[in-house]
Each structure stands twice: as C-alpha cells, then as structure tokens.
Amino acid sequence: MIISGKDIAAQLRSDMQQQVEAMAAEYGRTPCLVVIQVGNDPASTIYVRNKMRAAEFCHIRSQHLLLPDSISEQDLCAHIAELNADNDVDGILVQLPLPQHIDEEHVIRAILAEKDVDGFHPANAAHLWLHQPLVKSHVASIYNPVPDYGCTIPCTPKGILSLLASTGVELDGKRAVVVGRSDIVGKPMAKLLMDRQCTVTVAHSHTRDLPAVCREADILIVAVGKPKLITKDCIKPGALVIDVGINRLPDGTLSGDVDFAECKDIAGFITPVPGGVGPMTVTMLMQNTIDCFRRRMLQGKE
Ligand code: NAD
C-alpha cells in the first residue's frame, strides 16, 4: 500500500488553519515565522518558497529575510539576535546550507532554543535525547504523532511518525532499521522509535552487508541521499518502508533512496518520492511554529 504524504499533509494543514484561527481568537494574534535565506542558491529558493506558501495556507504570518551571501557570520548572528528579542516572532529558521565562510553550528546556536522551529539547537537535541516522555498515555495519530517532549522535535522524523501512525501499524516491539545517521533525520528518528518501544538499528556508510541488516526490519527508514540504494533484496516481505531521500537524476526527475518500482510489491506500506516524506517535513515545520507560539503564550512570553 502506498502512503501518500501529500494527502496526509493536506489534511494536517487544514487542521492547522483551524488551530491558528482558534489561537488568534484566544491570544489576539497569530504565530509568526521568520525564514532567513543567505544568498540565492536555487534549491534553497524553492525550499523557502514552499515554506512561505505552507505558512500562508495555515494562516501563519511569515517573513522571508533574504540576505546577501557576502554577509559575515557576525552580521547574520546580529539579525538573529534582533529576531530573538522581538516578542512578535515565534519561530526562526535559517535555511541551510550556508555559504562556506559561515559556521552553521554557530548560527544554529545563535537562535533562541524556544524559537528554533527546526529543532536543531543543541538544547532541543539534548532535550530529545535525555527526556523520557510518557509514551504509555500517548495515543499516536497523524495529528499527534509524538508524545510531549517539551521541546521542538526535528520536522522530518516527526513527519515520519505521523506517516507511521496513518498505517495503524503497532510500533511496540517492532524491529526498526534507520539507514543514515544525520543529526536532522537518522539520529532523532532512532531516538523517537526507541521511545515508541522499537528495537532500533542504525545503519550507515560503514555498515557491512546492508541488505541483510535491512531485511531484519519491520520498519525501514532510509535517509542517505543515494538513488535506488535500497533494492528488493533489502526488504522483508510486508515491511513498512519510508523513503526520505531526495535525489535529482541526470534526466531531471526525482528519485528516492529506495527503488520504488521493485520494492512496492514486497513492502506492506511504502512512501513514494516525490509526495511522501517531503510534504510532511514542511507541514511539521508549520506545526512546530504553532507549538513554539503556544509554549511562548503559556509562559507569558509575548
Ligand atoms: P546526510 O546527507 O547528512 O548523510 C547521509 C547519511 O547516509 C550518512 O549518515 C551516511 O553514513 C549514510 N550513508 C552514506 N552512504 C551510505 C551507504 N552506502 N549505505 C548506508 N548508509 C550510507 O543525511 P540527511 O541530511 O539525513 O539526508 C539524507 C537524504 O535525505 C538526502 O537525499 C536528503 O536530500 C534527504 N532529506 C529529505 C528530507 C525530506 O523532507 N524529504 C529531509 C532531510 C533530508
């Protein structure tokens, strides 16, 4: 069965419109997201445009701050400091990658953790790893895919948990394999699945016999960036397969990390590329903005 991230994302965005309208009535204003783009990298421009459109659809106020790629790290951080201090701004996102002369880690650290809608700030990452949420009392659904960690969870793994919830498959006790160990997808994904009582293996570029490792998986999440790395000999029959990869092929088309055509009949559930994880990531960014706003309002920080 194909999991349509596009359809689930559309459902979630309609729900977010309602959340935002209810919040406007309660707090007298709507959430505000600022997206900072440095330079004119064409891929970044597309990603930023998608984020601004999603915000508009959800009735989230948004601002696109386009800065020249010659900007110094210090000046970029000064812009962030201004936004940190602005009580009308709830979420700040710096579109990555940044030009080489700027240290991304310094920039991410410059964002106030409570406004870090990507969940990349070390305070949010540490909180995710050290906090044990009350999973027993949490009923996962596409709308509420993760228990309350009290911090921002990175958008892609959060969106994947929403996709998993859409299948109705019970996660408790399942074998999960996450291929890729990045800070933004693989690592947080592994922690979130551990917290959902999965037995998790993280595979990476030095893993030996990747197909054998993947075949153990009831739930296989692939975030590598290599087109069609995962072939049918990597799939356990009936497995739930989530393809995070986005790869532009020489003919201009997009491919995931999973060979969709040859895996779709073996997998129990599988996501396509495009139309799978991608739309969910942007959607979760909107939810994270709403959640940052809500937390700030509850703390009286407005
Ligand atoms: P990354 O690019 O930072 O790292 C790649 C990971 O893959 C590394 O951990 C590496 O160890 C592993 N790897 C490399 N070759 C491997 C191999 N042969 N076998 C097993 N593992 C191998 O990772 P990322 O930032 O998570 O991005 C991965 C892919 O996911 C990219 O295609 C990216 O564009 C895509 N992505 C998509 C979304 C989305 O919303 N759909 C979000 C984030 C990333």
Side-chain angles (χ1 to χ4, degrees):
M1 196 170 167
I2 295 170
I3 309 172
S4 171
K6 197 173 159 210
D7 291 350
I8 296 167
Q11 243 175 296
L12 294 177
R13 288 182 199 190
S14 299
D15 177 71
M16 284 176 210
Q17 272 184 353
Q18 288 167 20
Q19 288 183 50
V20 171
E21 271 157 31
M23 291 170 121
E26 188 172 353
Y27 299 113
R29 73 171 180 89
T30 52
C32 173
L33 169 69
V34 179
V35 179
I36 302 176
Q37 182 183 354
V38 180
N40 279 309
D41 171 62
S44 292
T45 302
I46 294 170
Y47 289 136
V48 170
R49 195 170 57 213
N50 287 343
K51 289 168 186 174
M52 307 305 285
R53 281 188 187 151
E56 191 184 354
F57 183 88
C58 297
H59 300 175
I60 290 171
R61 286 175 297 140
S62 64
Q63 190 194 331
H64 177 195
L65 189 56
L66 179 60
L67 301 170
D69 57 9
S70 56
I71 194 167
S72 68
E73 186 179 305
Q74 202 181 8
D75 287 351
L76 174 57
C77 290
H79 278 285
I80 292 172
E82 239 175 71
L83 296 167
N84 283 342
D86 185 341
N87 277 332
D88 193 39
V89 172
D90 305 291
I92 304 168
L93 178 150
V94 178
Q95 185 64 45
L96 302 177
L98 290 169
Q100 278 198 336
H101 65 278
I102 299 177
D103 185 326
E104 289 184 358
E105 212 180 303
H106 291 170
V107 173
I108 289 167
R109 279 174 188 267
I111 300 170
L112 206 58
E114 67 187 41
K115 296 190 180 188
D116 162 39
V117 281
D118 262 335
F120 297 165
H121 190 285
N124 282 319
H127 197 99
L128 169 63
W129 278 94
L130 300 176
H131 187 69
Q132 217 55 54
L134 290 168
V135 279
K136 268 193 188 154
S137 56
H138 174 247
V139 181
S141 71
I142 61 164
Y143 298 102
N144 188 18
V146 289
D148 185 13
Y149 282 84
C151 70
T152 300
I153 305 295
C155 303
T156 303
K158 188 170 170 176
I160 290 170
L161 280 178
S162 183
L163 294 175
L164 297 182
S166 77
T167 66
V169 169
E170 174 61 54
L171 301 188
D172 194 325
K174 292 281 160 63
R175 290 294 305 264
V177 173
V178 179
V179 189
R181 54 180 162 183
S182 70
D183 291 338
I184 62 171
V185 186
K187 283 185 203 159
M189 189 76 247
K191 169 65 161 84
L192 290 164
L193 287 169
M194 263 194 282
D195 289 347
R196 294 293 302 280
Q197 320 291 15
C198 290
T199 301
V200 182
T201 300
V202 178
H204 47 77
S205 51
H206 289 239
T207 296
R208 291 190 193 146
D209 197 355
L210 183 66
V213 174
C214 292
R215 275 197 306 274
E216 304 236 309
D218 302 306
I219 298 158
L220 178 64
I221 317 267
V222 190
V224 172
K226 295 215 159 113
K228 300 185 184 171
L229 172 76
I230 301 298
T231 48
K232 62 178 188 304
D233 60 326
C234 300
I235 311 288
K236 176 178 179 176
L240 211 165
V241 179
I242 304 284
D243 188 356
V244 185
I246 305 176
N247 308 289
R248 180 78 58 191
L249 299 180
D251 67 2
T253 57
L254 285 185
S255 161
D257 291 344
V258 177
D259 188 331
F260 183 81
E262 67 171 57
C263 295
K264 71 177 187 337
D265 295 329
I266 305 169
F269 295 90
I270 189 166
T271 57
V273 177
V277 175
M280 295 299 289
T281 296
V282 182
T283 302
M284 288 302 156
L285 177 68
M286 299 305 123
Q287 189 62 59
N288 280 353
T289 305
I290 293 171
D291 291 346
C292 283
F293 172 75
R294 188 180 282 123
R295 277 198 288 272
R296 295 183 71 245
M297 291 301 118
L298 292 175
Q299 289 165 4
K301 290 183 179 171
E302 54 178 306

